[in-house]
């Protein structure tokens, strides 16, 4: 399968000065209000999708006295920067998140506005989204987020030319993946590109292996506080398979010096130096902008392989069920915020997101699939999400933010052989829970 389109370049860590200037006006201070009725600061994760967010902001600002100001933080720094400013005068009115554990601490700290009053006035803020997605941001029975952007399943991308030259086809089973690793190595190609320097791309391998071996129930039990889940036989089996893949040389030897966020791992795939890359569906936009020729001719994708004898269905997905906008209580313009959030289910929003390869989870999405930049890619994702028996939120988003660094550290150290099976299990059992 191939994907075709064009996207703006992924923002990386070299925009520190721009970040400082951008965030200096956050907080909706009346003194900095525009000549109309004031400003709303909306903070988002800086990447290729900002192109759409800018268009939606422009649409809103054409008719609103209260103007939206879009602020961005580079992807690699987003979580840390958000935690730094969330309870300061520089905090935004509205901010991007992943729902689930990513916002639970802010709810507990009473920083967020429940959106139930917004929904009562505009039922479409809830009814126009798929319930399974919307509920990711429902905490203690209250709604704290409106879906934005799109659903982001993790897919196994590949360089079709490299695979063809090595006599390899996209693997349907774990054994086929191991065979592909061996064949690609014999051709002098790194089998799997990995942005280990970012750590979270490495986590994706754990998420899928645990799902395929144990099913989604094991992680859910662990998330709910059952520490014994991490030392179960299924957990140990998944860890053994991960070690087998690393020991087979699947990722080369310098993956910890490579990042996705600065374009490093995508470049390995596009240049033919690697055969595969496991990455969220946002990799579509990244590759289309970074190397249009590769994206048009040789970029392929498939779902994660099955594990023979495993408890998890091959149709299960992991990744980000959606991104969300949440609202801080301190906003001085709640009515304008509610109007802005209403654009997240508009036809314009859906069409603009599909045009860059994102897949909104609005109920009107399906009727626009044929207008996507690549209908084949969008329909493929839509069918995967619609048919998935389980769609597991990424571990570092399902847990509260305090768990992100311990999770990433344990994952990296296990991959590097710095800790063994027991060390990984102990690290996961020590994670803070919501």
């Amino acid at each position: 399968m191939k994907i075709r389109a064009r996207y703006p370049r992924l923002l990386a860590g070299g925009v520190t000065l721009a970040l400082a200037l951008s965030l200096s006006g956050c907080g909706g201070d009346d003194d900095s209000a525009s000549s109309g009725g004031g400003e709303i600061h909306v903070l988002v994760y800086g990447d290729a999708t900002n192109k759409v967010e800018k268009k939606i902001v422009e649409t809103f600002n054409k008719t609103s006295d209260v103007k939206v100001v879009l602020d961005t933080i580079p992807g690699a720094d987003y979580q840390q920067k958000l935690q730094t400013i969330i309870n300061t005068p520089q905090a935004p009115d509205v901010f991007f998140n992943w729902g689930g554990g990513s916002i639970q601490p802010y709810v507990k700290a009473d920083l967020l506005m429940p959106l139930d009053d917004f929904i009562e006035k505009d039922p479409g803020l809830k009814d126009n989204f798929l319930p399974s997605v919307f509920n990711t941001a429902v905490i203690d029975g209250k709604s704290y987020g409106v879906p934005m952007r799109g659903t982001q399943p993790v897919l196994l991308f590949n360089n079709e030319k490299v695979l063809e030259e090595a006599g390899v086809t996209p693997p349907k089973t774990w054994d086929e993946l191991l065979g592909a690793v061996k064949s690609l190595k014999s051709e002098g190609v790194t089998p799997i590109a990995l942005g280990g320097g970012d750590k979270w791309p490495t986590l994706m391998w754990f998420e899928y292996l645990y799902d395929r071996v144990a099913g989604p129930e094991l992680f859910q039990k662990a998330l709910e506080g059952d520490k014994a889940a991490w030392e179960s036989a299924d957990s140990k089996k998944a860890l053994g398979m991960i070690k087998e893949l690393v020991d087979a040389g699947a990722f080369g030897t310098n993956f910890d010096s490579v990042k996705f966020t600065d374009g490093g791992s995508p470049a390995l795939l596009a240049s033919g130096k690697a055969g595969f890359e496991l990455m969220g569906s946002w990799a579509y936009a990244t590759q289309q902008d970074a190397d249009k020729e590769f994206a048009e001719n040789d970029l392929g994708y498939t779902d994660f392989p099955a594990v023979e004898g495993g408890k998890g269905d091959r149709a299960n997905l992991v990744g980000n069920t959606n991104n969300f906008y949440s609202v801080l209580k301190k906003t001085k313009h709640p009515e304008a915020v509610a109007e802005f959030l209403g654009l997240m289910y508009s036809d314009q929003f859906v069409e603009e997101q599909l045009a860059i390869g994102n897949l909104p989870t609005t109920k009107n999405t399906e009727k626009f699939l044929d207008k996507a930049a690549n209908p084949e890619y969008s329909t493929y994702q839509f069918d995967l999400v619609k048919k998935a028996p389980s769609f597991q939120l990424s571990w570092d988003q399902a847990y509260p933010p305090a768990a992100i660094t311990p999770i990433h550290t344990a994952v990296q150290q296990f991959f590097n052989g710095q800790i063994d099976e027991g060390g990984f299990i102990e690290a996961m059992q020590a994670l803070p829970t919501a």
Side-chain angles (χ1 to χ4, degrees), residues 174-175 178 181 237-251 414:
W174 182 252
D175 287 344
L178 292 176
V181 167
K237 180 179 179 180
L239 290 174
M241 294 175 70
I242 291 169
K243 189 174 187 305
E244 179 184 19
L245 193 63
V246 175
D247 290 347
F251 306 99
F414 183 79

Side-chain angles (χ1 to χ4, degrees), residues 26-296:
C26 284
D29 192 327
D30 284 343
D31 292 338
S32 64
S34 63
S35 57
E39 289 181 348
I40 303 166
H41 280 262
V42 176
L43 182 64
V44 296
Y45 185 103
D47 63 9
T49 306
N50 297 152
K51 176 181 179 180
V52 173
E53 288 143 8
K54 290 176 182 176
K55 289 185 178 181
I56 297 298
V57 166
E58 289 173 0
T59 295
F60 179 82
N61 286 344
K62 287 178 181 178
T63 59
S64 176
D65 289 336
V66 178
K67 305 302 182 183
V68 168
V69 177
L70 191 70
D71 299 312
T72 64
I73 293 177
D77 303 320
Y78 185 82
Q79 286 279 50
Q80 180 182 358
K81 295 291 185 181
L82 176 63
Q83 292 178 56
T84 300
I85 67 171
I86 193 72
N87 197 21
T88 73
Q90 286 72 45
D93 298 86
V94 179
F95 70 96
F96 166 109
N97 61 78
W98 293 264
S102 73
I103 58 172
Q104 284 182 345
Y106 308 140
V107 173
K108 286 189 174 183
D110 200 29
L111 296 174
L112 303 192
M113 177 186 295
L115 304 183
D116 302 276
D117 288 345
F118 286 3
I119 293 168
E120 185 176 351
K121 294 177 182 178
D122 178 8
L125 289 172
K126 178 179 180 180
D127 296 343
N128 285 321
F129 298 96
L130 300 180
S132 60
V133 171
F134 183 88
N135 290 337
T136 303
V138 173
I139 298 176
D140 296 332
K142 296 182 179 180
S143 303
Y144 287 97
V146 169
M148 49 84 70
R149 291 201 174 184
T151 188
Q152 299 162 347
V154 172
L155 307 176
L156 186 62
F157 291 87
N158 67 73
N159 185 316
E160 292 184 335
K161 182 178 180 180
V162 169
L163 265 56
E164 182 179 358
E165 290 176 351
V168 169
T169 57
K172 296 180 180 180
T173 67
W174 182 252
D175 287 344
E176 288 181 6
L177 177 62
L178 292 176
V181 167
K182 184 176 181 180
S183 296
L184 289 166
K185 280 189 66 180
S186 69
E187 294 292 321
V189 174
T190 299
I192 303 169
L194 178 64
D198 288 319
K199 300 180 184 178
W200 53 264
T202 310
L203 175 61
M204 294 174 177
W205 287 94
F206 288 74
E207 292 166 347
Y208 261 128
L209 260 300
Y210 267 78
D211 175 87
R212 293 296 189 263
V213 171
E217 293 80 12
L218 186 151
F219 177 70
Q220 189 58 40
K221 288 179 180 178
L223 188 62
E224 293 170 355
D226 183 358
K227 297 182 183 301
W230 291 114
E231 59 190 40
S232 66
D234 283 339
S235 175
K236 294 176 181 178
K237 180 179 179 180
L239 290 174
M241 294 175 70
I242 291 169
K243 189 174 187 305
E244 179 184 19
L245 193 63
V246 175
D247 290 347
F251 306 99
T253 58
N254 65 341
F255 48 83
D256 269 347
S257 64
V258 178
K259 292 186 176 183
F260 177 86
T261 52
D262 65 5
S265 60
L268 290 176
L269 188 69
S271 65
K273 295 179 180 179
F276 296 98
E277 182 174 27
L278 187 66
M279 186 49 60
S281 57
W282 56 83
Y284 177 97
T286 304
Q287 289 288 7
Q288 290 291 351
D289 182 66
D291 193 328
K292 184 178 179 181
E293 183 177 355
F294 163 66
E296 290 183 346

Side-chain angles (χ1 to χ4, degrees), residues 354 357-359 369 372-383:
L354 285 169
N358 282 350
L359 184 66
L369 288 175
N374 187 319
E376 180 185 5
Y377 180 70
S378 295
T379 301
Y380 176 77
Q381 285 190 83
F382 188 84
D383 289 342

Side-chain angles (χ1 to χ4, degrees), residues 208 211-212 215-216 304-307 310-317 387-390:
Y208 261 128
D211 175 87
R212 293 296 189 263
F304 194 84
V307 170
K311 299 174 184 177
D313 195 313
R314 185 186 172 187
N316 288 348
L317 297 172
K387 296 175 183 178
S390 170

